[in-house]
Amino acid sequence: MSLDQSRAPIYEALEEFKKMRVVPFDVPGHKRGRGNPELAALLGEKCVNMDVNSMKPLDNLCHPVSVIREAECLAAEAFGAAHAFLMVGGTTSAVQSMILSVAKRGEKIILPRNVHRSVMGAMILCGAVPVYVNPDCDHRLGIPLGMSVSAVKKAIQQHPDAKAILVNNPTYYGICSDLRSIVKLAHEHNMLCLVDEAHGTHFYFGEDMPVSAMAAGADMAAVSMHKSGGSLTQSSLLLAGPAMQEGHVRQIINLTQTTSGSYLLLSSLDISRRNLALRGKESFGKVMELADYARSEINHIGGYYAYSKELINGDSIFDFDRTKLSIHTLDIGLAGIEVYDLLRDEYDIQIEFGDLGNILAYLSIGDRKQDIERLVSALAEVRRRYQKDKTNLMTQEYIEPQVVVSPQEAFYAQTEHLPLLETSGRVCSEFVMCYPPGIPILTPGERITDEILDYIVYAKQKGCSMTGPEDADIEFLNVLKEG
């Protein structure tokens, strides 16, 4: 029986709750903003009135039986999933729950190395062992590509006991793997297929889009509704196919997700799902038009390369997400992070991220043509004012990791604190990454090489925001004790 996608059960319950004039002798302690007038002034009376605790009329996120349950059923139908779970710990929480649902200590998961740190965080939590499929790299653009089907086949042959294959689809840059073929391979070898679909919410609603995880037959997918779907930051969905036991997945989620789910986040998921179900096709059609217009204008400036479907090679670039406005900058003699900084500091334009050779301007349902024109104009001016010789610029080449021990073993091992440049040859016990995008350069258990150290030093010099280590300045790294 089809559900009514014009419904928003959590939002409707909150509207009814407001009429009840309930006297609060529960948490949160600000008591509808009365105890914190400055917060109420900042957020508004309506917002603080909706910041309430779980109670019978509003259901409970840990064990939903009424309005949250209805909202999850509507989300499952809208996304073509067997089950959907509302997540208030961001897609990080969804990714971790996905991995914890399928693997235990010592069990293997096949995955690309260019995954988000949340994937490796889950490996530390459950003790699973990564089997890396090294992605191809576009040497001109300096970006890692998708998982080639042949590389996945090889990993399966070498590790037939792996429990699952995890695919990052699409990548931050918009690159998509051959998801249907990878799902088929996984299932033929009694493995599950998990998809980090943080940047692919729109695949479920747009036309002429790459295939979504659920449509491709994947077993689980983590979807960032707050990225392209319009919900509040930190709200996300975990989708599951029919092979997954709903009760087991809920138990895993409840290991790490808060027992005090924010109704601001929950209602934003509910309202955003309704919006996408009713208007998503039209909305994302406009986003693609904007992105195509922006690419055309930027490529006319000269020096920049805003890439799209022309990159498709049928394998490691099986498809491309046209909503992603990814732009190569090295031909104007500037690293992506330098263009990122100039746009923010000189032109008051905040883009998503810059790496060593590219920038990403994230387009979604809230963007307007005049905003695109301002970005294009600023990029033209950056080229005119700051262009220089591109000699000696490093591209962001993929560095194949040397895994020595499992992430969990390395993270909890006895360590010592060494100056960065004295760590070559040692095994790292912490993360090092540029954020965004949050893809680790080093993860716990990997050997530190001269090539990696050169990359870290160069990225710091260019102004990349480096995160992960205990030492915030990344002058020191924690490594495993020897002997």
Side-chain angles (χ1 to χ4, degrees):
M1 186 179 76
S2 182
L3 301 171
D4 183 359
Q5 290 291 337
S6 67
R7 293 275 322 282
I10 299 172
Y11 165 75
E12 292 160 13
L14 284 167
E15 288 289 293
E16 284 301 310
F17 177 74
K18 274 191 337 192
K19 298 174 188 173
M20 295 164 69
R21 301 181 66 185
V22 171
V23 178
F25 286 107
D26 63 349
V27 297
H30 62 69
K31 303 294 173 100
R32 317 293 190 261
R34 292 194 300 272
N36 195 340
E38 288 170 330
L39 181 67
L42 173 68
L43 299 180
E45 188 180 339
K46 191 162 190 176
C47 185
V48 291
N49 270 322
M50 285 176 58
D51 186 36
V52 293
N53 194 25
S54 295
M55 61 188 76
K56 192 170 184 181
L58 298 179
D59 209 354
N60 187 303
L61 183 58
C62 294
H63 183 71
V65 295
S66 58
V67 294
I68 294 176
R69 176 76 178 164
E70 289 174 46
E72 289 185 336
C73 289
L74 284 161
E77 183 187 70
F79 283 80
H83 314 288
F85 305 88
L86 304 187
M87 307 294 294
V88 295
T91 308
T92 289
S93 178
V95 166
Q96 291 178 347
S97 296
M98 186 163 68
I99 291 169
L100 267 61
S101 294
V102 303
K104 299 188 289 293
R105 182 178 173 85
E107 294 180 339
K108 299 173 186 173
I109 296 183
I110 296 168
L111 71 164
R113 177 55 179 75
N114 57 320
V115 290
H116 190 263
R117 68 169 293 170
S118 59
V119 174
M120 302 316 298
M123 298 278 185
I124 289 170
L125 290 173
C126 71
V129 179
V131 173
Y132 290 128
V133 174
N134 292 321
D136 290 341
C137 192
D138 185 300
H139 296 287
R140 177 192 170 185
L141 301 177
I143 62 171
L145 305 177
M147 293 171 83
S148 73
V149 174
S150 61
V152 174
K153 278 182 183 173
K154 185 178 176 184
I156 290 172
Q157 287 165 359
Q158 292 174 343
H159 302 274
D161 55 338
K163 291 293 179 181
I165 299 170
L166 184 138
V167 189
N168 183 26
N169 198 75
T171 69
Y172 232 129
Y173 303 94
I175 307 296
C176 297
S177 301
D178 184 356
L179 201 50
R180 282 196 173 97
S181 295
I182 293 171
V183 168
K184 187 169 182 286
L185 270 175
H187 291 169
E188 284 172 355
H189 292 85
N190 297 314
M191 298 177 189
L192 297 170
C193 186
L194 317 177
V195 183
D196 179 351
E197 206 169 26
H199 298 278
T201 306
H202 44 292
F203 289 1
Y204 291 88
F205 302 98
E207 282 190 316
D208 301 319
M209 294 271 189
V211 67
S212 70
M214 290 295 109
D219 298 291
M220 299 185 85
V223 178
S224 277
M225 278 288 277
H226 70 92
K227 289 189 170 73
S228 60
S231 65
L232 289 177
T233 296
Q234 204 178 305
S235 59
S236 183
L237 290 173
L238 178 58
L239 306 176
M244 304 306 300
Q245 290 185 353
E246 181 186 10
H248 173 67
V249 176
R250 181 88 64 192
Q251 282 188 319
I252 296 293
I253 291 168
N254 287 342
L255 290 176
T256 57
Q257 182 160 258
T258 179
T259 55
S260 305
S262 165
Y263 279 87
L264 299 174
L265 299 180
L266 292 171
S267 60
S268 82
L269 282 169
D270 201 20
I271 293 165
S272 299
R273 180 270 315 151
R274 179 175 68 178
N275 181 42
L276 296 183
L278 300 180
R279 293 176 285 277
K281 184 174 162 183
E282 174 191 351
S283 297
F284 289 122
K286 290 176 181 174
V287 174
M288 282 204 290
E289 284 177 19
L290 276 179
D292 287 342
Y293 168 72
R295 268 187 285 273
S296 173
E297 293 295 302
I298 290 165
N299 287 332
H300 274 111
I301 294 171
Y304 297 106
Y305 174 32
Y307 40 95
S308 185
K309 279 182 168 288
E310 71 279 359
L311 296 180
I312 290 172
N313 61 20
D315 189 20
S316 57
I317 313 175
F318 186 77
D319 208 343
F320 187 85
D321 175 9
R322 279 169 51 210
T323 73
K324 297 288 187 295
L325 184 54
S326 302
I327 306 160
H328 189 62
T329 65
L330 286 186
D331 290 339
I332 65 165
L334 295 173
I337 187 62
E338 293 175 304
V339 176
Y340 170 99
D341 286 338
L342 287 166
L343 288 172
R344 184 194 59 228
D345 298 341
E346 301 291 327
Y347 300 93
D348 294 329
I349 292 173
Q350 181 63 58
I351 58 172
E352 177 67 11
F353 80 88
D355 62 25
L356 297 189
N358 303 270
I359 58 173
L360 172 67
Y362 210 101
L363 302 190
S364 194
I365 55 179
D367 286 294
R368 306 169 298 177
K369 190 171 184 181
Q370 60 260 45
D371 299 325
I372 297 293
E373 286 166 351
R374 185 171 162 190
L375 173 64
V376 172
S377 174
L379 286 171
E381 209 170 304
V382 165
R383 176 178 180 261
R384 182 177 60 80
R385 292 175 63 192
Y386 300 100
Q387 183 173 16
K388 56 188 178 186
D389 182 36
K390 66 179 284 189
T391 311
N392 298 323
L393 284 178
M394 183 187 281
T395 58
Q396 186 162 321
E397 293 292 341
Y398 172 75
I399 302 173
E400 185 173 336
Q402 298 177 28
V403 180
V404 181
V405 297
S406 76
Q408 187 185 63
E409 187 180 342
F411 189 80
Y412 290 111
Q414 290 289 311
T415 63
E416 55 184 321
H417 204 52
L418 293 183
L420 178 68
L421 296 181
E422 294 178 20
T423 60
S424 184
R426 302 295 291 272
V427 178
C428 193
S429 71
E430 53 189 354
F431 291 97
V432 182
M433 71 204 81
C434 295
Y435 189 84
I439 296 166
I441 301 162
L442 278 168
T443 70
E446 293 177 359
R447 192 173 302 285
I448 302 164
T449 63
D450 289 339
E451 187 182 13
I452 288 168
L453 292 176
D454 289 344
Y455 182 94
I456 291 170
V457 170
Y458 181 84
K460 285 174 66 181
Q461 288 171 350
K462 286 297 181 185
C464 288
S465 176
M466 309 282 288
T467 66
E470 190 177 304
D471 173 30
D473 297 325
I474 316 188
E475 298 296 335
F476 292 82
L477 279 180
N478 288 336
V479 299
L480 269 62
K481 277 189 176 176
E482 293 185 334

